[in-house]
Amino acid sequence: MEPLFSPALHSQRHQFVIDFVMKSKPRKVADLGCGECSLLRKLRFHREIQVLVGVDINGAKIQKKKHKLAPISTEYLQPSFDQLRIEMYQGSVTRRDARLKGFDLVTCIELIEHLTLANVEHFSAVVFGYMTPVTVIVSTPNSEFNPLLPGLSGFRHSDHKFEWTRAEFRSWALKVCLEYGYEVEFTGVGENMQSQQDRVGFCSQIGVFHRIGGRDHYNTLPGDDAEDIFSYTLLYTINYPSLHDNNTLRKVLVGEVIYWAEQIKNRWMEEKTGERSCAFSLCEAVRGLQELHMEPHEELKATACADEMEGPVNQCKGGVYDEKEDKWDEMPWPKSPEQQDSCAVNRCVFVPLSALWSCCPKVSELSGSVNNLQHLLMDEPDVKLSQDGCAVLVKVQEQDREAEVYGDLDDSGYTEASQCSHSVEQEENWETNY
């Protein structure tokens, strides 16, 4: 049998919420009656959200699906500056919990019809009177549409306590607005493609409630001055990797610095001749990065090829560092193979931090300034800095020296490293079948 709705009705409800999130960009979002967390799994990719909370009375469902809310591997390998914390609670939407107060958006998708009418009143007081979110999205079945659903007799789900007409839903919503200081817009999803649309309305009716006064206005209920209540049980929480976390920032920065220091060293060694000094020029760095399809920082391009500019050696005492003797050698690179072997052992090529910061957009973005870059790298065991802290020391490996001796880098087998650089949202029975 052909599906009645395309996309499926539950997908249309979720897309309605996602479209609202993309437009309004709420920072704190809670989904009440989150069920199997399917809406939360979609919302977690919208990184304007900083706090994402799910609440359901069925803790077993949360425990079963919570692992699907964990960060994926690429979010650990390439964390962004965005922050996201996910929290999952077991609890009833008819009871208060202070951790759910003051959210930007609360969603209640196909929830209220699972409550008794008496509990709907408690739900209204908790959500609109106590939690006081800026916006609440409530969806519920429209009973006027039911005669158009093939094979349906009675309610759409065996757990439904009621299903409202459009007039009944409107009456409840306007009462909520009057009591708790909200205004509401009515819409829905699941259109009837026949001529009866105006007569029966949407399959799922939706009310979008906006708090009068927005973020700056909070409602209070009698007794709200009492001690905060924590009635929900926290089942799962996770902080997504973010560059706002200093440890994460350092790990990513160190990886970028090591990678690009090697790239700059390798580019210099490819171009270096027997007569060339150990110090490579910034102009060479620019050319090398452009050949690597990396766009140098504008500051570097503006100064790299200035007259008489000899490059990083002018910015930082250096040349080739003799690790064994703990000293710098400013003499040109030896010309003969014998001299190469004698002086290259335990030696490092220095790559100034100023060149790294200027040449590599990711390094400059992460560090902010050369001084801050130096500070962040100072105590990192994986990065060796020069004595004055202004350059990264990159060891000259055996294969590098052999390539310099024989001038045959292309045949040396070297391969360039790759860049590191209350259970509610249940599918209704008739929806599953159609």
Side-chain angles (χ1 to χ4, degrees):
M1 181 177 293
E2 290 293 323
L4 187 61
F5 299 105
S6 182
L9 190 60
H10 66 274
S11 297
Q12 292 188 42
R13 292 192 290 258
H14 289 178
Q15 190 60 50
F16 182 91
V17 174
I18 290 168
D19 291 343
F20 182 89
V21 166
M22 293 175 65
K23 179 181 178 181
S24 302
K25 303 189 183 307
R27 294 188 298 272
K28 298 179 67 177
V29 178
D31 183 30
L32 305 184
C34 62
E36 297 185 347
C37 311
S38 54
L39 177 57
L40 296 174
R41 294 202 303 268
K42 299 172 184 177
L43 290 176
R44 71 192 178 99
F45 292 107
H46 295 268
R47 299 305 291 272
E48 60 268 19
I49 299 174
Q50 297 178 7
V51 178
L52 187 58
V53 172
V55 179
D56 202 279
I57 199 168
N58 189 335
K61 281 192 174 181
I62 294 177
Q63 296 284 21
K64 183 178 179 181
K65 299 294 183 178
K66 65 183 182 180
H67 67 279
K68 293 188 176 182
L69 296 170
I72 58 180
S73 57
T74 55
E75 289 169 309
Y76 286 102
L77 295 172
Q78 296 179 327
S80 68
F81 281 101
D82 300 319
Q83 301 178 79
L84 175 61
R85 184 175 77 254
I86 295 180
E87 298 173 356
M88 303 300 297
Y89 294 94
Q90 178 181 10
S92 169
V93 295
T94 63
R95 301 185 64 184
R96 305 179 189 179
D97 191 294
R99 290 167 290 190
L100 273 291
K101 294 177 71 172
F103 274 55
D104 298 307
L105 172 64
V106 167
T107 61
C108 311
I109 307 303
E110 307 298 282
L111 165 64
I112 58 176
E113 66 273 10
H114 293 268
L115 307 175
T116 65
L117 290 175
N119 277 336
V120 170
E121 294 300 315
H122 294 301
F123 163 84
S124 303
V126 168
V127 174
F128 296 95
Y130 181 75
M131 297 163 86
T132 63
V134 176
T135 304
V136 182
I137 297 177
V138 177
S139 81
T140 191
N142 169 21
S143 64
E144 295 173 75
F145 202 99
N146 287 357
L148 302 180
L149 302 177
L152 177 66
S153 60
F155 291 154
R156 299 184 190 179
H157 193 279
S158 59
D159 188 54
H160 287 187
K161 306 303 187 293
F162 63 87
E163 289 179 0
W164 278 335
T165 65
R166 286 176 292 172
E168 289 169 330
F169 182 55
R170 179 181 293 270
S171 176
W172 169 78
L174 293 177
K175 180 184 177 183
V176 163
C177 291
L178 184 62
E179 290 184 2
Y180 302 111
Y182 282 78
E183 54 189 9
V184 63
E185 305 170 35
F186 296 101
T187 183
V189 295
E191 296 185 69
N192 175 31
M193 304 308 293
Q194 305 171 18
S195 59
Q196 304 177 67
Q197 178 65 41
D198 292 338
R199 183 174 66 83
V200 300
F202 293 98
C203 188
S204 280
Q205 51 189 334
I206 295 176
V208 182
F209 298 79
H210 302 279
R211 192 173 68 211
I212 297 173
R215 300 178 188 274
D216 300 325
H217 179 74
Y218 289 86
N219 299 316
T220 56
L221 289 175
D224 274 1
D225 293 335
E227 184 178 351
D228 284 337
I229 299 170
F230 302 95
S231 62
Y232 298 164
T233 301
L234 179 64
L235 299 180
Y236 178 73
T237 183
I238 189 167
N239 289 306
Y240 273 51
S242 168
L243 294 173
H244 281 280
D245 175 70
N246 197 50
N247 289 332
T248 302
L249 174 64
R250 285 177 179 269
K251 289 179 182 177
V252 175
L253 179 62
V254 166
E256 292 289 335
V257 165
I258 291 173
Y259 173 78
W260 285 110
E262 282 286 341
Q263 296 306 303
I264 294 174
K265 181 207 74 173
N266 292 338
R267 177 61 60 185
W268 168 67
M269 295 194 70
E270 286 178 6
E271 297 180 354
K272 182 169 61 66
T273 65
E275 290 81 20
R276 188 181 295 267
S277 167
C278 298
F280 64 94
S281 70
L282 284 179
C283 193
E284 287 174 322
V286 170
R287 291 198 307 271
L289 285 171
Q290 288 173 335
E291 291 173 16
L292 289 169
H293 306 291
M294 288 296 299
E295 183 62 24
H297 196 281
E298 290 298 325
E299 180 180 327
L300 177 68
K301 292 195 290 186
T303 60
C305 297
D307 291 339
E308 305 300 326
M309 180 71 170
E310 295 195 17
V313 74
N314 288 337
Q315 303 174 40
C316 174
K317 177 185 177 182
V320 175
Y321 178 70
D322 190 323
E323 191 173 33
K324 185 175 182 180
E325 299 294 332
D326 192 24
K327 68 178 182 178
W328 289 94
D329 183 0
E330 298 186 74
M331 63 180 288
W333 193 272
K335 299 179 182 179
S336 68
E338 292 78 12
Q339 289 175 305
Q340 289 271 8
D341 289 337
S342 64
C343 76
V345 176
N346 296 319
R347 292 205 168 197
C348 303
V349 172
F350 80 92
V351 179
L353 298 183
S354 56
L356 278 169
W357 190 88
S358 297
C359 294
C360 311
K362 187 70 173 179
V363 172
S364 59
E365 177 188 9
L366 293 170
S367 59
S369 69
V370 176
N371 287 339
N372 197 37
L373 175 61
Q374 182 183 45
H375 174 74
L376 290 169
L377 297 177
M378 193 65 67
D379 298 320
E380 286 297 329
D382 295 329
V383 177
K384 186 173 181 61
L385 296 180
S386 58
Q387 286 181 316
D388 52 11
C390 71
V392 174
L393 305 182
V394 186
K395 281 192 174 183
V396 178
Q397 302 296 332
E398 186 68 25
Q399 57 266 36
D400 295 332
R401 294 190 288 112
E402 290 177 0
E404 287 303 316
V405 172
Y406 298 108
D408 193 12
L409 182 62
D410 291 339
D411 297 329
S412 66
Y414 170 80
T415 303
E416 190 175 85
S418 56
Q419 182 178 0
C420 309
S421 318
H422 273 292
S423 289
V424 191
E425 185 54 5
Q426 309 172 44
E427 292 189 6
E428 313 295 1
N429 296 341
W430 62 271
E431 286 187 39
T432 303
N433 296 328
Y434 299 99

